[in-house]
Amino acid sequence: MGSVGMLRFDEKHIQQYEAIIGFLKSHGFENSQIAKLVSRQPSILQSKVSDNLKPKFEFLQENGIVGSLLPKVILSSPGILLRSLDSQLKPSFRLIKEMLETDENVTAAICRYTWLLTYSSKGTLRSNIDILVSEGVPSRNIAKMIELNPRTIVQNVDRIIDAVKTVKELGVEPKDFKFVHAVTTVLSMSDSAWKKKINVMKSLGWSEKEILTAFKRYPPYLTCSEEKMRDVADFCFNTAKLDPGTLIRYPVLFKYSVDKRLRPRYKVLEVLKVKNLLKNEKSVQLFFRGERDFVENYIVKHLDEIPNLMDIYRGNVASETKSVL
């Protein structure tokens, strides 16, 4: 029984314990995973394999949680094994599937937040979906919200109501796809954290109107750390010399790493400008291009004229000191 043997077993029930451990092993659990599961949820040792564990494991497997995914999901959310299959797990799965439409989408959501199935389909889960529907949020947008950030839909009902109210007051329409991203962003932080982020942006010279204009364009930018906000703003204004209005128009820039994306691309663009190889494109647009697209069209394409361009992009210091003229 490996490390599981270190746990104190009631000798009278040793056969039951061994049956449970054997069952878990037959479903891909390793000794260390069994030990972790039992230490987190000791009551599992009171379970009956045929009446309790087997039907739940079969239900999860039938719905796409198979192979190494099965131990992973159960270890992340051992409460699944304590919930009723017929009155809790199946109804919750049905409700989530009603929103997400396919088993694959439901499985993806469960893997992102394994506790999802432990919420009652008649309680928080249903109430929060109903709130969003009643506000006019399209079902497909709610589905995307659950799929990408399932934790959001099981927040305390009052928090959802407050977040919806806040986002509407900011002028984001419930029918707009950005509405669910805005609600998710508001829910991801406390009121004090929200105020702190607003104050950071104000300290960078933005008015409240500009902060909220940017929020409506790309809500997640306010989830960045204070340090990240300052680093991106410093790069955009002091290095890339972008117009302040550009960052308000494209707050998605806050999402990118200064060292891994913005600065390397900026160096390439500066060299291309010097060589008159940059067409009339706005420099800022090139920060958004996919990695392969950028490398092919702005580096590889110009290697004949500028052989060390890839080195410049990769941050080869010696190469950068060489003249590109």
Side-chain angles (χ1 to χ4, degrees):
M1 287 183 284
S3 55
V4 179
M6 294 187 291
L7 295 162
R8 283 189 185 173
F9 285 161
D10 179 343
E11 290 299 325
K12 284 187 261 182
H13 296 105
I14 195 74
Q15 282 185 314
Q16 183 185 348
Y17 299 158
E18 286 179 341
I20 290 166
I21 290 165
F23 177 79
L24 292 171
K25 281 188 173 180
S26 74
H27 285 80
F29 279 75
E30 296 173 2
N31 282 336
S32 59
Q33 292 175 314
I34 296 171
K36 190 175 176 184
L37 178 62
V38 172
S39 65
R40 289 189 63 190
Q41 202 73 65
S43 58
I44 186 133
L45 293 174
Q46 269 72 57
S47 300
K48 289 185 178 174
V49 170
S50 57
D51 296 345
N52 183 16
L53 298 182
K54 191 167 181 283
K56 288 172 186 173
F57 273 63
E58 285 174 352
F59 167 72
L60 292 171
Q61 287 173 314
E62 284 163 9
N63 289 295
I65 299 172
V66 294
S68 60
L69 205 52
L70 187 62
K72 183 182 170 189
V73 166
I74 289 171
L75 272 174
S76 299
S77 179
I80 286 175
L81 300 179
L82 304 182
R83 301 299 197 275
S84 163
L85 180 58
D86 292 322
S87 64
Q88 165 72 59
L89 302 181
K90 285 183 177 178
S92 292
F93 188 93
R94 276 196 298 269
L95 176 58
I96 299 162
K97 186 173 178 181
E98 186 185 305
M99 299 302 301
L100 301 188
E101 296 184 345
T102 70
D103 288 349
E104 290 78 14
N105 288 345
V106 178
T107 301
I110 292 167
C111 289
R112 280 199 172 90
Y113 184 56
T114 55
W115 288 94
L116 194 56
L117 281 182
T118 66
Y119 287 85
S120 169
S121 62
K122 294 175 184 171
T124 306
L125 203 53
R126 177 87 262 175
S127 298
N128 288 339
I129 289 171
D130 287 347
I131 287 165
L132 295 171
V133 169
S134 70
E135 290 289 350
V137 181
S139 293
R140 66 181 179 279
N141 294 358
I142 300 173
K144 190 54 74 174
M145 178 184 186
I146 297 172
E147 200 180 323
L148 298 177
N149 201 331
R151 193 186 294 262
T152 308
I153 205 66
V154 294
Q155 295 276 341
N156 179 287
V157 174
D158 289 338
R159 285 206 73 208
I160 288 271
I161 291 169
D162 287 344
V164 165
K165 183 168 178 277
T166 298
V167 172
K168 283 172 72 179
E169 285 172 353
L170 294 176
V172 185
E173 291 295 323
K175 284 186 168 33
D176 187 335
F177 183 64
K178 291 193 179 82
F179 187 84
V180 290
H181 286 294
V183 168
T184 300
T185 299
V186 171
L187 286 170
S188 72
M189 61 187 101
S190 64
D191 289 345
S192 59
W194 171 267
K195 284 171 186 159
K196 189 177 179 186
K197 298 289 175 72
I198 299 292
N199 288 333
V200 170
M201 298 312 298
K202 284 181 176 175
S203 75
L204 295 173
W206 288 31
S207 69
E208 194 146 329
K209 185 182 176 185
E210 289 169 333
I211 295 166
L212 298 181
T213 296
F215 177 75
K216 283 192 268 189
R217 288 178 181 275
Y218 183 69
Y221 94 90
L222 281 178
T223 61
C224 293
S225 68
E226 179 177 340
E227 184 184 10
K228 179 85 186 286
M229 286 175 163
R230 293 188 186 284
D231 283 351
V232 172
D234 178 61
F235 168 81
C236 289
F237 299 146
N238 299 322
T239 302
K241 308 292 184 191
L242 295 178
D243 178 87
T246 300
L247 199 47
I248 296 164
R249 280 194 302 280
Y250 302 107
V252 70
L253 285 165
F254 282 104
K255 180 179 81 169
Y256 301 128
S257 164
V258 171
D259 293 328
K260 292 178 183 174
R261 187 181 188 112
L262 300 180
R263 187 170 285 115
R265 292 192 179 196
Y266 173 74
K267 286 176 181 173
V268 169
L269 300 183
E270 286 300 288
V271 172
L272 294 179
K273 279 181 188 173
V274 168
K275 290 283 195 177
N276 291 316
L277 293 170
L278 202 59
K279 293 174 188 172
N280 296 325
E281 295 180 65
K282 287 185 179 176
S283 299
V284 70
Q285 299 288 353
L286 305 189
F287 291 126
F288 308 136
R289 288 182 174 266
E291 182 66 10
R292 180 183 290 181
D293 178 16
F294 183 82
V295 170
E296 284 179 2
N297 289 295
Y298 297 93
I299 298 177
V300 175
K301 187 177 175 182
H302 301 296
L303 286 178
D304 286 345
E305 300 104 318
I306 314 167
N308 62 335
L309 194 55
M310 184 63 84
D311 288 326
I312 292 170
Y313 182 57
R314 287 177 177 158
N316 183 319
V317 179
S319 178
E320 285 180 42
T321 58
K322 279 195 225 168
S323 172
V324 295
L325 297 172

